[in-house]
Amino acid sequence: PVVILLNPIHSGKDSMVMAVIRDITEPKRTAEGVRKTNEELMALVTELQRRDREMQSLISMDDLLQSCTSQEDAYKVIGFAAGELFEGHTGCLAVLQASGRYLEIVARWGTGSLGDPIFSLDDCWALRRGQLHEVVNAETGLLCRHFVSHPNTRYLCVPLTVQGEILGVFCLAGAPAHTSDHQIGQLQLAVTVCESIKLSLSNLKLREKLRAEAIHDPLTGLFNRRYLEEMLVRELHRARRRKSPLCLTMLDLDNFKRFNDTHGHDAGDALLRELGRLMRAKLRKSDILCRYGGEEFVIVLPDSSLLDAEQRIEQIRAQLKEVQIQHGGEFLPAPTLSAGIAQADEHDFDPGELLRAADKALYSAKNAGRDRVIRYGAKEKDR
């Protein structure tokens, strides 16, 4: 490259032009180097800004996940955060169900439906291999079977495992296989996101397990007294706000100590489990069953009148007589039960008072000869 300067020269009748030619190779090379450097610096600034946005989104996702109290809350957070982090991509999160036989999609982002709502472990190569599975070319790659229709772009599946336990799989379609020198890459970002997701889901699963153990009776699987005390305040408040009836039943197995002494504690435990099973079968899902202590149980029946509650408890009392407990190679008849029922009226929504009312009605049933259901009425209130 050169620069040519032309100047006219007049000498009498003759005209001439003087040309000065200057070589600008070096200045041109220097300017080009400066331009390329500026472009690289601008690309680097843009990439750093992108990574900063990703980091802020990751921090926000982690913060929200730590605030979740259930896995369902976490699924909503993951779907929202992944939509921001992987804008322009389609993806989903599928988790392994309690049976351990299949996975269910619990969060989606992007446009279109990426996979079947429910699929088996064998449908995903990432879960089969226990490691990230990436398909660069949909025509020649080893495709997973859990897609509604095979994606026409590259995709990746990342298994979510913690200490050998499979939690689920993270799928992302449209992720690039190669990145520039300054890009972290969608693949690496997906792996980073999956690390946060699997740790959060594992912690929530553990917390829910510990919570369930803390509020359930290990023998019968019913709620325990601790949960009853927490829940009863809430249910009474709800009944008062809705102006709906609520009944509480306290029931007790008659002569349970004699049954234990005669047949042994194993037979007694079997009887308590059978009673728990019977109550779960006869009552509604909205009814709350609690083992209050020993052979004593409490049932909270929202939206139930005294008559409705009495009829349902009578069904349990009658059916318990037909139950036979198998123990030591023989069938043992179950003892009878007595129950007391109290209703929370508009003037009495105190949990302690309601429990005491049901307890008084239970003792009335015991004193009246056992094997019966008695309501807490005017006579009991006067005592």
Side-chain angles (χ1 to χ4, degrees):
V2 296
V3 172
I4 302 174
L5 300 176
L6 302 175
N7 292 306
I9 299 175
H10 300 282
S11 176
K13 295 181 179 179
D14 298 325
S15 296
M16 296 178 289
V17 174
M18 182 177 67
V20 179
I21 302 173
R22 182 165 59 93
D23 183 3
I24 60 168
T25 301
E26 194 58 36
K28 195 81 171 177
R29 186 181 294 125
T30 302
E32 182 66 18
V34 171
R35 186 187 65 79
K36 288 183 178 180
T37 301
N38 284 336
E39 286 182 354
E40 290 177 356
L41 287 173
M42 289 301 296
L44 179 59
V45 170
T46 302
E47 179 61 22
L48 288 174
Q49 290 175 341
R50 185 185 69 82
R51 291 182 64 177
D52 181 66
R53 290 193 299 270
E54 288 177 351
M55 185 60 64
Q56 293 301 321
S57 296
L58 280 170
I59 292 172
S60 175
M61 183 185 74
D62 284 340
D63 183 60
L64 289 170
L65 286 175
Q66 290 178 14
S67 302
C68 292
T69 57
S70 68
Q71 295 190 66
E72 285 70 24
D73 288 343
Y75 302 151
K76 295 177 183 177
V77 169
I78 292 166
F80 174 77
E84 285 189 341
L85 286 164
F86 304 104
E87 187 176 359
H89 297 79
T90 301
C92 67
L93 170 71
V95 298
L96 186 66
Q97 296 304 296
S99 65
R101 294 192 296 269
Y102 66 92
L103 296 97
E104 182 177 2
I105 293 179
V106 293
R108 299 176 185 270
W109 56 92
T111 57
S113 180
L114 186 62
D116 289 326
I118 296 176
F119 57 93
S120 71
L121 289 165
D122 291 338
D123 288 335
C124 181
W125 281 103
L127 293 173
R128 284 194 195 184
R129 301 166 61 209
Q131 62 186 49
L132 183 146
H133 180 69
E134 184 181 13
V135 172
V136 178
N137 189 330
E139 295 182 358
T140 60
L142 195 60
L143 301 178
C144 298
R145 296 197 302 262
H146 53 79
F147 295 104
V148 173
S149 59
H150 289 306
N152 54 13
T153 61
R154 56 176 57 93
Y155 76 87
L156 62 90
C157 294
V158 185
L160 306 177
T161 58
V162 177
Q163 296 182 346
E165 180 187 5
I166 297 175
L167 300 179
V169 64
F170 181 95
C171 303
L172 189 67
H178 304 288
T179 60
S180 69
D181 293 338
H182 302 301
Q183 287 181 333
I184 187 174
Q186 297 295 311
L187 187 148
Q188 186 177 345
L189 177 61
V191 172
T192 303
V193 169
C194 288
E195 288 294 322
S196 295
I197 289 175
K198 70 182 185 181
L199 290 177
S200 297
L201 292 182
S202 178
N203 288 336
L204 281 170
K205 188 176 180 181
L206 178 61
R207 282 163 54 184
E208 289 178 358
K209 179 182 177 182
L210 294 175
R211 168 67 175 167
E213 290 176 352
I215 63 175
H216 284 86
D217 170 52
L219 178 63
T220 62
L222 304 180
F223 290 114
N224 57 20
R225 186 168 183 166
R226 174 182 176 180
Y227 179 77
L228 173 67
E229 293 170 353
E230 294 178 3
M231 168 278 308
L232 188 54
V233 175
R234 182 177 68 248
E235 290 297 327
L236 285 171
H237 177 73
R238 183 179 299 166
R240 172 182 287 174
R241 188 177 69 248
R242 296 178 177 177
K243 297 182 180 179
S244 59
L246 181 144
C247 287
L248 184 144
T249 299
M250 186 173 288
L251 57 89
D252 183 283
L253 287 169
D254 297 327
N255 301 312
F256 182 71
K257 184 178 183 304
R258 183 190 305 168
F259 183 91
N260 258 351
D261 293 341
T262 305
H263 305 292
H265 289 284
D266 289 344
D269 289 346
L271 173 60
L272 293 174
R273 285 193 293 268
E274 183 62 25
L275 177 58
R277 185 202 63 76
L278 176 61
M279 289 191 293
R280 277 194 295 264
K282 286 297 179 182
L283 296 175
R284 306 167 301 177
K285 290 184 178 180
S286 59
D287 297 331
I288 302 163
L289 315 176
C290 304
R291 186 182 178 192
Y292 199 62
E295 69 274 21
E296 205 166 38
F297 297 81
V298 169
I299 306 173
V300 180
L301 302 106
D303 299 311
S304 288
S305 65
L306 274 170
L307 180 60
D308 291 338
E310 185 177 18
Q311 288 176 347
R312 277 183 278 166
I313 301 305
E314 280 287 359
Q315 290 177 353
I316 294 173
R317 184 188 67 82
Q319 192 159 346
L320 182 63
K321 293 181 178 181
E322 302 174 5
V323 171
Q324 290 185 320
I325 308 301
Q326 188 173 9
H327 179 69
E330 59 178 335
F331 288 96
L332 308 175
T336 59
L337 67 81
S338 301
I341 303 175
Q343 182 178 27
D345 56 41
E346 57 181 312
H347 304 296
D348 185 12
F349 279 86
D350 179 80
E353 288 296 326
L354 188 60
L355 282 166
R356 282 190 287 273
D359 190 42
K360 288 181 180 179
L362 171 61
Y363 274 98
S364 296
K366 293 282 189 181
N367 293 333
R370 299 184 176 88
D371 189 21
R372 65 196 65 215
V373 179
I374 289 185
R375 305 181 192 179
Y376 178 73
K379 292 184 178 179
E380 283 77 16
K381 286 184 178 179
D382 293 337
R383 291 178 183 176

